[in-house]
Amino acid sequence: MINRDKVRYDWPEGECCYTGIVEDFPQYKEKTRRSLVEICSVKNAETNDWKPVNRKIYLYWMPDSLRPDLTCGGSICFVGRVKSSASSYSFPGFDYGKYIERQGISGTALAFRDNWIRLSGGNRLTFRQQALNVREKIVAVYAGWGLKEDVLAVISALTVGDKTGLTEELKTNYNAAGTSHVLALSGLHIGILSVILTWLLFPLRLIKGGKYIIVFCVMALLWGFSLMTGLSPSVVRAVTMFSFYVIASLFLDNRFPVFYALTLAAFLMLMFNPTLLFDVSFQLSFVAVASIVLFLPLLTRLVPVRNVVGRYIYSAMALSVSAQLGTLPFVLYYFGTFPTYFLLANLVVSPLSVCVLGGTLVALCLDCCGIPSSFVSFFVQIPAFSAELMNKTMEWVRHLSGSYLTSVYFSFFQSALTLFVILMAYWFLIRRSPKKMIALLLAMNVLVADFVRGKVNPPPSQLHFSSSSVYVSEGKTVTEQTSETGIMQVHGLYIGLMNNESWCDKSADNPLALDYVYITRGFKGSVDMLETLFLMKQVVLDASLSEAYKSLLKQQCEDRNIPYVEIPENGSYIVTL
C-alpha cells in the first residue's frame, strides 16, 4: 500500500505545464519518441505557482527537426495532459495500467511538436543512467560491424539487454518456439558467462589462493557485465544470487545450497521493493531457477547417459523440462499459451546462445583494444552466423504444425493446484511415501474435476466495446472482431463500428437495423447522418472521442430518443451474449 501511494498521483484533468528530467534514452517510434520522465513540478493555471510532483511517467513527444532532441539526463518543459495508469478491470487480458504502476510509473502523456522545449541544465547522469550510456555505446559498436538488422537485434538483446531492435515477427518466432527467455537477459546468461569465465581463469587454481582470486575476478566481471546491460533488473537479480552463493560457499565447509542463495536474493529484493512480488518477470525468473534446482538433479539421475552426444542432448532436454515444469502454471495463468516444440528448439538455442554471447564479448574486447577491423570482423562472424541460424531455426519451428497452443488459460485455483501437484510429484519421487502418493492423487482428482466442471458449465460469452475495437471473450480467451465495412454479426447481434469516414458519403433506401453502433476516434459524421443509413437500437461512444464532439453526439441521441452509453477512460462496455 505504501509503495502504491508513492506511485499514484491525482493528475489535473486538463492540459498543464510540467517540468521534468529524462530518466533513460529515448526509444524511437514511428512518429514519436518515448522516454521515462521524472516529473518535477506542475504549474497551477490559476495562481501560476509551481507545485512539486516527483512522479515518473512515460512521455511521448513528437520530434522537431529545428530543435535538438531530448537526451538522457536532460531537462524538459512540456504542455500536455497526464493520464494516470488506471487499470482496466472490466476487460480481460493484459492490464497495462497495473503493469506500469508496478514498475513505479504513475501515468502517460503526449506532447505535440510545439508543446515541449528542452531546458538548459540537467544532464547530470545518475549511476544507472551512466550504465545505460555504456550500453548505448556498446550497441553503437555492434552497429558499426555491419550486421543484418535481425542479427543485430538478437545480438543486442542477448548480450546487453537492448530489445528495441526486435521486430514483432522475431518476438513471435521465439515465443512460439518456447525460447523467448534467450532474448531477455536472466540467470541463463549469467550462468553461461560464469562458466566461460571460470574456464578461462582455471589456470589460476595452480597458484596458492587461486580459488579466491578466481571467485573475486568472476564476480567483478559479472558485475561489470551488469553495468554493460544498464543494470537490467533481471541481470542484477541473477548476479546477486550468484554472488551470495559463491561467497557463502567459500566460507562454509559444505557447499551452500543454491536454493538458499535464491531465497536470500528474493528476500532482499522484496525488502527493497515489495511490489516486485507481483511482477510477472520476477515470478517467472525465480520460479524457473527454483524448478531447475529441484528437478534437474532428479532427471539427471533418472536416466544416466554415458555417450557424450547423448549426454548433451539429454542434459539440454532435462534442463528445458525442469524450467518448464515450474513455470507452466504461471505461463498458463498469465498468457494461456504453450509451445509444443520447446524441447527441439532449446536443443539448438542452448549451444548457439553460448556462441553468440562468448563470440560477441571476445569481438567487443578486441574492438575496444584497437585491434584492426579486419581481424575483429573474423571473430564477429561467429556470433553473426550463430544468431542468424537461431533466427531461421525459430522461424522454422514456429511454422511447424501445431507448434503453438493458444487460449489454454488456467484459473488462479487451477494454476495453484497444478503447482501443488508438481511439488507433490517431486516429493514423492525423492521420498516414496504412501501419504504423499495419496495427496498427489487427491490433488490430481480435484484438478480433473475442476476442468470437467469448467467444460460442463463454461463462463458466459461477453461482447466488449473497448479501445476502439470490438471483442468477444469466453473466460480469458479474447477474440477481436474485424470487418472491412465495419458491419459485423456477433452471436445474432448486428454491430456497426464507426472508426473512419467511409460511411459519411453513403445513402440508403432501406436503413439497416443495428443493435449497437460503436463510434470511435476517426469518425467525422453525426448521428443525424447515421440515422439515414441505420436503425440504431443503441449508440456506444468511445473514450477516444474529444469532449466537444462527444457532447454533440450525445445531444443528437437525446433529440432522437436513441439510447446511448459513454465508455469511461480505461474502461469498456460489456454485453453478456
Side-chain angles (χ1 to χ4, degrees):
M1 179 68 71
I2 296 175
N3 282 271
R4 187 181 64 182
D5 292 340
K6 290 180 179 179
V7 174
R8 292 183 177 179
Y9 188 81
D10 293 329
W11 301 100
E13 287 294 331
E15 292 187 343
C16 290
C17 184
Y18 298 91
T19 63
I21 298 176
V22 181
E23 291 283 304
D24 60 3
F25 284 86
Q27 295 183 15
Y28 290 81
K29 305 295 181 180
E30 184 177 354
K31 295 182 180 179
T32 61
R33 308 282 188 267
R34 192 198 79 172
S35 187
L36 185 64
V37 174
E38 173 83 21
I39 299 297
C40 300
S41 58
V42 57
K43 189 175 184 180
N44 190 311
E46 297 179 356
T47 63
N48 288 331
D49 294 330
W50 290 92
K51 178 183 177 183
V53 176
N54 299 321
R55 295 292 192 278
K56 294 180 181 181
I57 69 166
Y58 273 135
L59 177 64
Y60 296 80
W61 70 91
M62 295 183 177
D64 190 344
S65 58
L66 300 179
R67 288 180 291 175
D69 209 348
L70 299 176
T71 57
C72 182
S75 299
I76 181 178
C77 179
F78 70 93
V79 175
R81 181 190 175 194
V82 178
K83 298 180 180 179
S84 60
S85 52
S87 299
S88 51
Y89 295 104
S90 58
F91 187 65
F94 179 65
D95 194 335
Y96 181 73
K98 186 182 295 184
Y99 168 75
I100 65 172
E101 183 180 82
R102 288 171 179 169
Q103 305 300 314
I105 301 167
S106 180
T108 59
L110 171 64
F112 292 97
R113 185 172 289 107
D114 297 328
N115 287 359
W116 67 270
I117 186 172
R118 179 179 175 180
L119 302 177
S120 59
N123 290 320
R124 293 183 179 179
L125 302 181
T126 63
F127 185 69
R128 185 175 183 276
Q129 289 171 346
Q130 292 176 4
L132 288 171
N133 191 30
V134 172
R135 190 180 75 173
E136 290 294 314
K137 291 179 180 178
I138 292 174
V139 174
V141 173
Y142 292 167
W145 290 346
L147 302 172
K148 296 180 181 178
E149 289 187 4
D150 287 351
V151 172
L152 174 62
V154 170
I155 290 178
S156 299
L158 199 149
T159 57
V160 293
D162 181 18
K163 296 187 286 186
T164 56
L166 294 174
T167 62
E168 289 300 322
E169 184 177 2
L170 267 178
K171 294 177 183 178
T172 303
N173 290 342
Y174 279 82
N175 286 333
T179 56
S180 58
H181 58 277
V182 175
L183 302 179
L185 284 177
S186 60
L188 171 66
H189 304 80
I190 297 302
I192 293 173
L193 188 57
S194 61
V195 170
I196 295 174
L197 293 174
T198 303
W199 178 72
L200 292 175
L201 298 173
F202 184 80
L204 292 176
R205 284 185 173 271
L206 301 177
I207 65 176
K208 186 178 181 180
K211 180 176 70 171
Y212 298 95
I213 298 175
I214 291 176
V215 168
F216 175 79
C217 292
V218 170
M219 287 182 55
L221 291 171
L222 288 179
W223 280 108
F225 177 74
S226 69
L227 290 175
M228 290 171 51
T229 66
L231 294 177
S232 168
S234 58
V235 175
V236 172
R237 284 199 297 263
V239 176
T240 301
M241 189 196 74
F242 180 82
S243 301
F244 288 148
Y245 172 72
V246 172
I247 293 174
S249 298
L250 283 177
F251 296 100
L252 294 177
D253 295 333
N254 299 322
R255 290 186 63 86
F256 186 65
V258 180
F259 197 82
Y260 290 172
L262 178 68
T263 305
L264 182 58
F267 175 76
L268 292 178
M269 296 188 73
L270 289 174
M271 287 287 291
F272 176 74
N273 184 7
T275 58
L276 283 176
L277 181 63
F278 305 99
D279 186 78
V280 179
S281 62
F282 178 86
Q283 296 174 10
L284 290 177
S285 62
F286 274 101
V287 169
V289 176
S291 183
I292 291 172
V293 171
L294 291 176
F295 286 99
L296 184 58
L298 184 64
L299 295 177
T300 304
R301 293 193 303 267
L302 189 64
V303 182
V305 182
R306 296 182 179 180
N307 182 272
V308 176
V309 177
R311 190 185 306 119
Y312 161 74
I313 295 175
Y314 181 75
S315 298
M317 293 174 64
L319 179 65
S320 183
V321 169
S322 300
Q324 291 286 349
L325 274 175
T327 57
L328 179 64
F330 294 83
V331 170
L332 294 180
Y333 175 73
Y334 287 115
F335 309 110
T337 59
F338 184 75
T340 55
Y341 297 110
F342 69 93
L343 288 176
L344 174 63
N346 279 280
L347 285 177
V348 178
V349 163
S350 297
L352 290 181
S353 59
V354 175
C355 294
V356 172
L357 183 58
T360 303
L361 293 179
V362 170
L364 181 63
C365 291
L366 293 175
D367 198 327
C368 294
C369 292
I371 303 298
S373 58
S374 58
F375 188 70
V376 174
S377 62
F378 172 77
F379 286 90
V380 170
Q381 297 307 314
I382 298 175
F385 174 77
S386 301
E388 187 169 9
L389 183 58
M390 280 175 57
N391 291 343
K392 291 182 178 179
T393 305
M394 297 308 103
E395 183 179 7
W396 173 72
V397 171
R398 174 194 170 189
H399 289 95
L400 291 175
S401 177
S403 64
Y404 201 46
L405 299 181
T406 59
S407 302
V408 193
Y409 283 101
F410 275 19
S411 66
F412 179 81
F413 174 74
Q414 291 170 343
S415 299
L417 197 56
T418 302
L419 187 61
F420 178 77
V421 168
I422 293 172
L423 291 175
M424 284 296 99
Y426 169 77
W427 286 114
F428 174 75
L429 289 174
I430 62 173
R431 297 177 182 177
R432 299 182 184 275
S433 166
K435 292 182 179 180
K436 292 182 175 58
M437 171 60 77
I438 294 174
L440 174 62
L441 293 176
L442 285 175
M444 293 179 65
N445 286 329
V446 174
L447 184 61
V448 172
D450 191 68
F451 280 127
V452 172
R453 181 195 60 80
K455 293 296 182 182
V456 174
N457 297 312
S461 300
Q462 292 182 323
L463 180 67
H464 295 259
F465 299 93
S466 177
S467 304
S468 302
S469 297
V470 179
Y471 303 89
V472 171
S473 68
E474 298 177 358
K476 282 193 172 183
T477 303
V478 181
T479 307
E480 183 178 359
Q481 308 298 305
T482 58
S483 172
E484 293 184 0
T485 62
I487 306 299
M488 56 193 77
Q489 183 180 9
V490 180
H491 290 253
L493 296 177
Y494 287 90
I495 302 164
L497 176 60
M498 305 298 152
N499 56 3
N500 53 50
E501 303 179 22
S502 60
W503 290 98
C504 293
D505 57 350
K506 300 293 189 299
S507 61
D509 296 331
N510 297 310
L512 176 65
L514 293 179
D515 295 283
Y516 297 95
V517 173
Y518 186 24
I519 302 178
T520 71
R521 183 176 57 185
F523 180 72
K524 304 297 182 182
S526 63
V527 174
D528 299 343
M529 181 273 296
L530 290 176
E531 198 174 30
T532 63
L533 301 173
F534 309 108
L535 297 176
M536 300 176 288
K537 293 184 179 180
Q538 188 169 24
V539 173
V540 180
L541 303 176
D542 191 61
S544 61
L545 300 171
S546 67
E547 292 299 325
Y549 187 39
K550 195 185 301 183
S551 299
L552 176 62
L553 294 176
K554 288 191 292 185
Q555 185 61 49
Q556 292 176 350
C557 289
E558 292 173 357
D559 293 341
R560 284 153 184 77
N561 294 323
I562 300 175
Y564 68 89
V565 63
E566 182 180 357
I567 298 179
E569 192 172 350
N570 300 305
S572 63
Y573 180 62
I574 304 175
V575 178
T576 301
L577 299 174

